[in-house]
Every structure is written in structure tokens, then in C-alpha cells.
Amino acid sequence: MIKRFASLLAVIFLMACLLTPMGIAAAKGAVSFWVYEPELKREQLEKAVALFERETGYDVEITYIPKSDFNTKLNTAIATGQAPEVSYLDQPLVPRFAVDGILLNLDPYADGKTGIDRSKYYQGALNTNVVGKKLYGLPLNQTCVALYYNRDLIKTPPTTWDEWIDMAKKVYKKGQIAAMEVPPGGGWGAWLFPAFVASAGGRMVSDDETKVAFDEQPAIDALKLWLEMRKYSDKEVQDSANSFQNGLVATKISGPWEISGFRQNFPNLKFGVALVPAKTKDGIHASNIGGENLVIYKSAKNPQAAWELIRFLTYRPENAILCAEVTGNFPVLLEAAQDDRYRKDESLKVFLKQMETAQARPRMTSWLKINDEIVGKALDQALSGELSPEEALKQAAKKANLLIQRDK
């Protein structure tokens, strides 16, 4: 009798487990999810994932990895057949991974019963996931660059390149005040450069993305602007510690990640944020997009669960805001960006406006190499005076096009 009662209890316990969220999760399967080790709001991210688990019955196994080690560990996991089912992925890596056949095509899910209205996302951010007209991820966060200016040095920010140069001539003091923190060459400068090229009406690559276009006049003009601004921006002033924060530089191009540091560490700094100046009055105040995406790997054992997870995290406004805050960037949903925390902050709302004209990086598989090793070097050569802007960009374009042809 005791033995039968114990058996009955075991059956009841087993049924209870199967009917609880944890039991249901075990029955439906788990999703492995690799994320950057967050500096903020880790608990909130875990609460959001816990809510997903309760609503769907799926289980999620989060692995936190420092951002500096993330790509190395991810590549190792892929090479050894141990890729997670879902992970963050830096935007420019999506084309490479998609062409290599590592990522799952998400069009059937995005257009299916649990699909999405793609128009609800910022199109620039969503397009960083599109390769060969196929969708390989959903945007997790986004960022862009805009113009910072020191209100003690200039009252009204420039809106055109001519105004910027005029401002530079007026504010410049040899060895004391620099007009601009002129971007350097290398990968960082090459990442900023497309904002200036687009502000001159150009593009870094052709419309069909089969060849580069940064040897055309808009890019040459953009590089000439940098050289012109350097006449009024002594390098030793720019290179001094915290030169903008200490009031030694009038303008700089950078992203929203600077704002909290300025406010917390330099309370006497009176800074403003404005759109990137356009080349002409009727030109575009363009910027470029950075950020991360959420992708699903082709090896995922439960792709429907993986899809529902990335949809849950990016498609609900409250979760889109959370993901943006965890990663220190902006939300990718248009509705989420209307939240008061962005609209009522005089600096952040400028970045939101700037985001409307921010453009995705080229989706060529070799773009990271072109950016860092070819465009970055060309900028160095022009800024150092080794080559003219025309020579530097035209030579770089030839190298880049050869690389593109080789990678086809």
C-alpha cells in the first residue's frame, strides 16, 4: 500500500513538473543565447527573458561574454560545431556569416504566423540584416554620430560646410583652441567617413553594391573638408587629454555614448548636439549607423523558439528600449524611440532626428577589411600629406574593387 502511494506521488510530481512553466519549457526545448556582458541592467534583461519563458514555455540559457572576447569565442564555437542558437552580432559581420551559410534565413518566420511588420523598425537598422534581399537577423540596437559643439566657443552650430569653415576661422587660436577634433585615419576614421560622404550627396559603394564609389567627387570633397578643418585645428591641442571636455576644441563628431560621461565628469562643460552639417543648404544632414543585431544560427535545434525570442526582445517597445539600454545605444523600433526618455532629452532627441538619415554600412562580405585596411589607410595618406585626397581615394578604390572581385 505504501509502495503504491509512493508511486502515485511520483506520478503526481511528474505531472506537476510537466504542467509548470519549467516543465513545459523542458518539453518545448531550450534556446542558447550569447550576449555581451552588460555593464548595466543585467537583472532587467534576465527579467525580460524570464517573462519570455513564462509566456512561451521555452527555456533560455544566457551566456555572458565580455565584448572584447565575444567574436573570438563565437568564431571558435562555430568552427567546432558549438554555435549558440541565438547571439548578438556586430552589424558588419552579418554579410560575412550569411554568405558563409552560418545564419538562418528568417524570411519564412518574419512573414509567417508569428511574423513582424517590418515597417515598424528603423529601416536603416533593419537593412543591416538584409543580404542578397534575404533577412538574416533583427536589429538589437542602433547608434549614429552627430555634431557636438562647445556653447562657450560657438553660439550657433554650423549647418553647412561653408558655415563650419567660417566658424573654424573665427574660433581658432593657434596652440590654444582647435576648431574641430578632426577624425584620424584608420578604422575609426573610416567608420566616420561615410557620414561626410553622404552629407555631400555621395555613397561609399554603388547602388547594386558591386563596386566602391568612394573615389567619386563627394568623397573627395569630404576628405578635402577634413584637410581644410585641420588648418584651424592644431594637432597638439586636439591630442591633449579630454580636449573637447576641457573647452579646447569647438566641435567634434561622435555618438550618444559620450553624453553621460560629459554630464557626470565635466559638469562645467556647456555642450550642444546638432545634426552633421550638410555640404550645402539644400543637402542632406547624413550620418552612419552602428550597432548590433540578433541572429539565429542555421544549426539551431529549435529555430521557432529562437525566432520567437528575438522577436520578443526587439518587437515589443518596452523590450526594445530595454535592449537599447543594456547595450548603451538606441532602440530600433520607431514606436520605442518616441518614449519620453528620448524625446525630452535635448541631446538624445537630436540623435533620434539624426538617425532618420543614418545609412547602413555596405553589406559586402569584405567591407570590414575595406573599411579598416583600405579606406582607413587612404585617409591616413591624405591627412599626412603623403597623397592628395584624389590620389589616396582613387588608389584605395582600385584595391577595394580587386578585393570585391576576388571575393565573388
Side-chain angles (χ1 to χ4, degrees):
M1 179 68 183
I2 292 175
K3 187 181 275 188
R4 282 204 303 274
F5 182 68
S7 299
L8 179 60
L9 284 178
V11 170
I12 291 173
F13 176 76
L14 178 61
M15 291 180 66
C17 286
L18 289 172
L19 290 173
T20 61
M22 182 181 296
I24 293 171
K28 294 189 72 171
V31 178
S32 55
F33 182 26
W34 283 22
V35 305
Y36 298 156
E37 179 72 54
E39 295 180 4
L40 301 170
K41 298 184 181 292
R42 177 170 173 162
E43 288 184 2
Q44 286 89 332
L45 175 63
E46 291 177 348
K47 284 181 180 177
V49 169
L51 177 60
F52 170 79
E53 291 176 321
R54 287 196 298 273
E55 289 188 3
T56 65
Y58 295 117
D59 193 16
V60 179
E61 299 167 353
I62 302 178
T63 298
Y64 295 101
I65 300 172
K67 189 174 182 178
S68 58
D69 296 334
F70 194 85
N71 289 343
T72 300
K73 290 185 180 297
L74 184 61
N75 284 324
T76 300
I78 292 169
T80 57
Q82 302 296 318
E85 288 170 291
V86 176
S87 83
Y88 291 2
L89 194 63
D90 196 13
Q91 288 172 355
L93 290 177
V94 172
R96 175 81 271 167
F97 280 31
V99 170
D100 286 349
I102 297 168
L103 302 182
L104 186 68
N105 174 13
L106 300 183
D107 286 310
Y109 300 93
D111 299 330
K113 190 181 295 184
T114 56
I116 56 171
D117 178 351
R118 301 183 195 210
S119 68
K120 291 188 175 183
Y121 290 91
Y122 277 90
Q123 293 306 292
L126 184 65
N127 286 340
T128 63
N129 293 281
V130 178
V131 182
K133 298 183 179 180
K134 294 181 180 178
L135 184 71
Y136 286 97
L138 293 179
L140 173 70
N141 61 52
Q142 59 178 341
T143 191
C144 69
V145 295
L147 179 77
Y148 284 93
Y149 65 98
N150 185 314
R151 292 181 186 273
D152 283 333
L153 296 175
I154 55 175
K155 301 304 178 189
T156 305
T159 61
T160 66
W161 290 7
D162 284 344
E163 290 180 4
W164 208 353
I165 294 170
D166 287 343
M167 175 228 77
K169 294 175 180 175
K170 292 173 183 173
V171 77
Y172 171 63
K173 290 183 181 178
K174 185 174 176 58
Q176 299 177 51
I177 300 294
M180 179 188 182
E181 187 178 290
V182 181
W188 171 246
W191 182 68
L192 294 177
F193 190 56
F196 290 80
V197 176
S199 293
R203 299 190 61 184
M204 295 298 284
V205 299
S206 61
D207 289 341
D208 60 3
E209 298 195 339
T210 58
K211 61 181 181 180
V212 301
F214 56 72
D215 55 345
E216 296 176 358
Q217 197 58 46
I220 293 171
D221 290 344
L223 190 45
K224 286 182 175 177
L225 173 69
W226 287 16
L227 287 169
E228 182 68 14
M229 295 300 289
R230 280 192 66 171
K231 294 178 182 175
Y232 311 103
S233 309
D234 295 339
K235 193 169 187 308
E236 61 269 25
V237 176
Q238 294 184 60
D239 291 347
S240 62
N242 299 314
S243 54
F244 180 80
Q245 295 90 322
N246 288 324
L248 304 179
V249 173
T251 59
K252 68 179 292 184
I253 297 290
S254 192
W257 54 83
E258 304 263 27
I259 294 173
S260 61
F262 287 173
R263 290 173 175 166
Q264 291 176 18
N265 302 322
F266 299 91
N268 295 324
L269 173 64
K270 296 176 183 175
F271 72 93
V273 181
L275 300 179
V276 175
K279 183 183 178 186
T280 59
K281 281 188 176 179
D282 56 355
I284 181 174
H285 298 273
S287 186
N288 51 335
I289 286 181
E292 283 84 22
N293 297 326
L294 284 175
V295 297
I296 300 173
Y297 294 85
K298 197 176 278 185
S299 56
K301 295 176 182 176
N302 197 341
Q304 180 62 36
W307 164 255
E308 290 185 34
L309 174 62
I310 69 172
R311 182 183 183 279
F312 176 86
L313 290 175
T314 66
Y315 200 55
R316 291 188 184 185
E318 66 272 21
N319 291 341
I321 291 171
L322 170 64
C323 288
E325 291 183 340
V326 167
T327 52
N329 286 322
F330 281 95
V332 294
L333 276 185
L334 292 167
E335 182 180 348
Q338 296 307 309
D339 188 89
D340 282 351
R341 76 193 72 190
Y342 305 109
R343 288 193 309 111
K344 292 188 175 180
D345 185 296
E346 66 172 15
S347 297
L348 292 178
K349 68 181 181 184
V350 176
F351 278 100
L352 276 182
K353 180 69 177 176
Q354 185 72 81
M355 208 83 71
E356 294 174 6
T357 53
Q359 301 177 22
R361 279 175 279 195
R363 288 158 289 187
M364 296 172 171
T365 56
S366 52
W367 185 254
L368 268 184
K369 187 177 181 67
I370 292 172
N371 182 87
D372 292 353
E373 299 178 18
I374 297 179
V375 177
K377 183 179 179 181
L379 299 179
D380 280 331
Q381 290 172 317
L383 291 169
S384 67
E386 179 184 342
L387 295 175
S388 70
E390 292 91 338
E391 292 170 333
L393 292 175
K394 288 186 182 300
Q395 287 184 18
K398 286 181 182 177
K399 294 177 185 174
N401 284 328
L402 284 174
L403 182 61
I404 293 166
Q405 291 301 317
R406 192 190 70 187
D407 284 353
K408 280 186 176 178

